[in-house]
Amino acid sequence: MTERLRVAVLAGGPSAEHEVSLESGQAVLDQLSKDRYDPVLVVIDRQGTWSQNLHRDTVDVVFPALHGPYGESGVVQGHLETLGLPYVGCGVLASAVGMDKAAMRRAFVAEDLPVTPHVWFTEHGWRTTTDRWGLVKSLAWPMFVKPANLGSSIGISRVTSMAELDAAVELALGYDRVIVVEQGIAARELACGVLGDYDTAEASAIVELNVDGVWFDYEAKYHGDTDFATIPAPIPDPIAEEVRELSLQAYRAIGGYGLSRVDFLYEEQTGRLYVLEVNTMPGFTSHSVYARGWAASGLPYPQLLDRLIELALARSAA
């Protein structure tokens, strides 16, 4: 019998997405084939302490089911590289760019990808300006205020006035010192999974996120009572093909490897698509759409994990 691969599944971490990461990590642990793998859950607490130290003698490959700063930002990826450990997902650079919404949009613009009108500024710029309206006046209401380095809709607000903008920026500054403000667009929300290496990656079935309210917030993502996803998304074939192609372009724009989920706005009246962001370690919970999109494409969750681990080992061996 072939010796099972020792897989360390990292979960938790100091970011505001700690709880979501724990759910993702447990789901990965449950779905890994016990015939092929010897998995162990390694929990990182909110202070950054690991429940188990990793090195080449104790683990063959690492699955960092971590979301947000610290875990998805390239920090852990760099640490694993210093240990010489193969790991699932994007490398240091792609993780860092994918985590920072301002840097990510600069990469998109450089590759001529369609993005929503937006601005970004630092906490210092916000505190010292005498004209806060001047920072966002190029945008129309409503606007979405976001911490640049966070996910799962945490710290995000939809605003329709300067009073609301002030409060929203203060909320976002509680999570990050760089703020991104996007112009709201009346559009359908789509997502597409990407799997593979930089040159030969593939795109999954497209998912539509059915928003019950004005936008898809944290509560709807993780605690909603109804299934929020329609798979495959009921959109015209040419739009679906464009989503897949733009997903691969966005993936390559940040130097992706392994996996990502690319989020879109689809303005149905005009037929325009906008690339919102690339998530380099999308959720793997029972609600999460990345694995569900690939299941709809003929790649069930356990086999998806097999493929991700194969990609991690292939990169390490190159």
Side-chain angles (χ1 to χ4, degrees), residues 215-231:
W215 66 288
F216 198 48
D217 61 9
Y218 181 91
E219 193 65 24
K221 282 183 178 179
Y222 299 107
H223 301 296
D225 294 329
T226 58
D227 187 0
F228 56 78
T230 301
I231 312 171

Side-chain angles (χ1 to χ4, degrees), residues 189-213:
E189 295 193 31
L190 308 175
C192 183
V194 179
L195 174 67
D197 63 25
Y198 179 91
D199 293 304
T200 62
E202 300 176 86
S204 75
I206 298 157
V207 179
E208 178 166 15
L209 306 177
N210 305 307
V211 182
D212 184 16

Side-chain angles (χ1 to χ4, degrees), residues 158-178:
R158 179 183 185 273
V159 300
T160 57
S161 68
M162 278 305 296
E164 291 181 352
L165 179 73
D166 286 346
V169 171
E170 293 303 325
L171 172 65
L173 286 173
Y175 297 99
D176 193 17
R177 60 177 294 275
V178 178

Side-chain angles (χ1 to χ4, degrees), residues 262-284:
V262 187
D263 296 340
F264 293 85
L265 291 179
Y266 170 40
E267 197 173 44
E268 194 168 14
Q269 288 186 335
T270 64
R272 294 193 64 180
L273 288 164
Y274 299 90
V275 183
L276 277 180
E277 59 185 285
V278 174
N279 295 273
T280 57
M281 183 52 70
F284 274 85

Side-chain angles (χ1 to χ4, degrees), residues 223-309:
H223 301 296
D225 294 329
T226 58
D227 187 0
F228 56 78
T230 301
I231 312 171
I235 55 178
D237 289 345
I239 296 297
E241 187 56 35
E242 187 178 357
V243 168
R244 292 190 185 92
E245 182 55 36
L246 287 171
S247 295
L248 295 174
Q249 290 179 31
Y251 187 67
R252 292 174 182 134
I254 68 164
Y257 184 92
L259 77 158
S260 286
R261 191 194 74 232
V262 187
D263 296 340
F264 293 85
L265 291 179
Y266 170 40
E267 197 173 44
E268 194 168 14
Q269 288 186 335
T270 64
R272 294 193 64 180
L273 288 164
Y274 299 90
V275 183
L276 277 180
E277 59 185 285
V278 174
N279 295 273
T280 57
M281 183 52 70
F284 274 85
T285 71
S286 59
H287 284 272
S288 301
V289 301
Y290 180 80
R292 293 172 64 187
W294 279 109
S297 304
L299 188 63
Y301 198 136
Q303 283 69 55
L304 172 62
L305 298 180
D306 291 343
R307 180 70 181 124
L308 290 170
I309 290 172

Side-chain angles (χ1 to χ4, degrees), residues 56-78:
R56 293 185 72 86
D57 293 337
T58 62
V59 65
D60 295 308
V61 64
V62 179
F63 195 118
L66 299 164
H67 310 309
Y70 181 82
E72 197 179 348
S73 63
V75 173
V76 164
Q77 289 75 14

